[in-house]
Amino acid sequence: MKKRFLALFTAGVLSISLLAGCSGDTEQTEQKSEIENQTSVEEPEEKALTKVTLNEVAHSIFYAPMYVAIEEGYFEDEGIDLDLVCGFGADKTMTAVISGEADIGFMGSEASIYTYAEGATDYVVNFAQLTQRAGNFLVAREEMPDFSWEDLKGHLVLGGRKGGMPEMVFEYILKQNGIDPEKDLEINQNIDFGSTAAAFAEGQGDFTVEFEPGATSLESEGKGYVVASLGEDSGYVPYTAFSAKQSFIDENPDIIQGFTNALQKGMDYVQAHTPEEIAKIIEPQFPETDLETITTIVSRYYEQDTWKSNLIFEESSFDLLQDILESAGELAERVPYEDLVTTEFAAVAAQ
């Protein structure tokens, strides 16, 4: 009887202990949950992105830092939802900016000089320079390891649009080497932008001036050979820059600053990484081109110091640009640097 009582007593104590334990766990859990609810901070709502339309003169690996900024999400980090549109020519890109169809244009800076010289009141201002060398190459029909610009005399070259940077830089190099573009050779300027490589592959011309991927494509097909880099032989030229109407810049300084900040991050990435790494990042931008070809092209631009470490459009570069325009007979009167270039946003981004 005594043993039975002790067993019942022990069982009762254990039951009470277990119940007390469960009750304690429940109370502790409830208290912990209450504390967590009191101390937890609500997740901030995602900031709405501002849509910005960018019209680029062409979609080219030449502009790799911009595509790095896109693929790495740097524009989103700056609160920008970027809508990238290809204009297929500086004249079309400039038209899109002036009409308000695009907020920002990316093209050769000569376009801003032309519109200013024509008397535009709300003229387009350059606020960030991307490339500091020409991005095209001279392609011959055969390998010419000892090529000199003198070799072009008496030959037909497929060139670019009159008044466009590719053609003007080409003619500038010829003149620097004592060659008269009008008398010493023939330059075909009637072929549409982007179609010269196909024309050359079909047998037109003895040489052609090509952007990438045209130059590399001709080489890979065995139909041409790169014999000179216009970027190396022309020196540092403000080949392409980002610009917007003065009114847009005045009304949206935060957007321009954020946009420039994103670009600078892309420039920083390019400066700190190998061509292979850069090519891998921008590969989604060029689905029609295999990674090996993209890497070859990036390497070509990388090795000739195509991209600036910052986006500041310096006055000396602007003066050289006007020298090239004057040499090409495209500029009757020089225009003021202070009107067409602002370094305010690029300087802040560089910091």
Side-chain angles (χ1 to χ4, degrees), residues 170-195:
F170 175 49
E171 293 185 14
Y172 178 77
I173 292 172
L174 293 177
K175 291 175 183 177
Q176 292 294 104
N177 285 273
I179 301 171
D180 188 327
E182 296 182 1
K183 298 179 180 178
D184 293 334
L185 70 161
E186 182 182 355
I187 304 175
N188 185 337
Q189 298 179 261
N190 299 320
I191 301 175
D192 291 338
F193 179 81
S195 299

Side-chain angles (χ1 to χ4, degrees), residues 110-157:
E110 78 284 355
S112 65
I113 294 176
Y114 293 154
T115 54
Y116 182 90
E118 289 169 0
T121 52
D122 189 8
Y123 46 84
V124 173
V125 176
N126 301 284
F127 63 85
Q129 179 186 335
L130 187 75
T131 55
Q132 62 181 0
R133 287 193 184 273
N136 39 6
F137 302 87
L138 184 70
V139 179
R141 291 208 173 275
E142 57 186 31
E143 293 183 276
M144 301 176 69
D146 300 319
F147 170 82
S148 74
W149 291 97
E150 291 278 331
D151 294 331
L152 294 183
K153 287 186 174 181
H155 289 285
L156 171 62
V157 181

Side-chain angles (χ1 to χ4, degrees), residues 47-66:
K47 184 179 178 181
L49 300 180
T50 301
K51 185 173 181 179
V52 175
T53 300
L54 168 64
N55 190 299
E56 60 175 355
V57 64
H59 197 68
S60 171
I61 296 168
F62 184 38
Y63 313 132
M66 174 171 65

Side-chain angles (χ1 to χ4, degrees), residues 54 56 59 63-77 80 82-85 242 259 262-263 265-266 281-282 284-285:
L54 168 64
E56 60 175 355
H59 197 68
Y63 313 132
M66 174 171 65
Y67 304 130
V68 167
I70 292 172
E71 292 300 323
E72 290 293 276
Y74 298 150
F75 287 103
E76 287 89 343
D77 292 345
I80 293 173
L82 191 67
D83 179 22
L84 183 63
V85 179
F242 295 87
F259 185 93
L263 288 173
K265 293 175 186 176
I281 291 294
I282 68 173
Q285 288 284 324

Side-chain angles (χ1 to χ4, degrees), residues 271-284:
Q271 295 293 327
H273 292 77
T274 66
E276 290 77 14
E277 292 170 322
I278 297 166
K280 186 65 177 176
I281 291 294
I282 68 173
E283 183 182 12

Side-chain angles (χ1 to χ4, degrees), residues 59 282-290 294:
H59 197 68
I282 68 173
E283 183 182 12
Q285 288 284 324
F286 303 93
E288 73 288 350
T289 307
D290 62 84
I294 295 173

Side-chain angles (χ1 to χ4, degrees), residues 11-33:
V13 170
L14 286 173
S15 296
I16 293 170
S17 298
L18 286 172
L19 287 171
C22 288
S23 175
D25 288 346
T26 301
E27 288 177 1
Q28 289 175 2
T29 301
E30 289 175 351
Q31 290 174 357
K32 183 178 178 182
S33 177

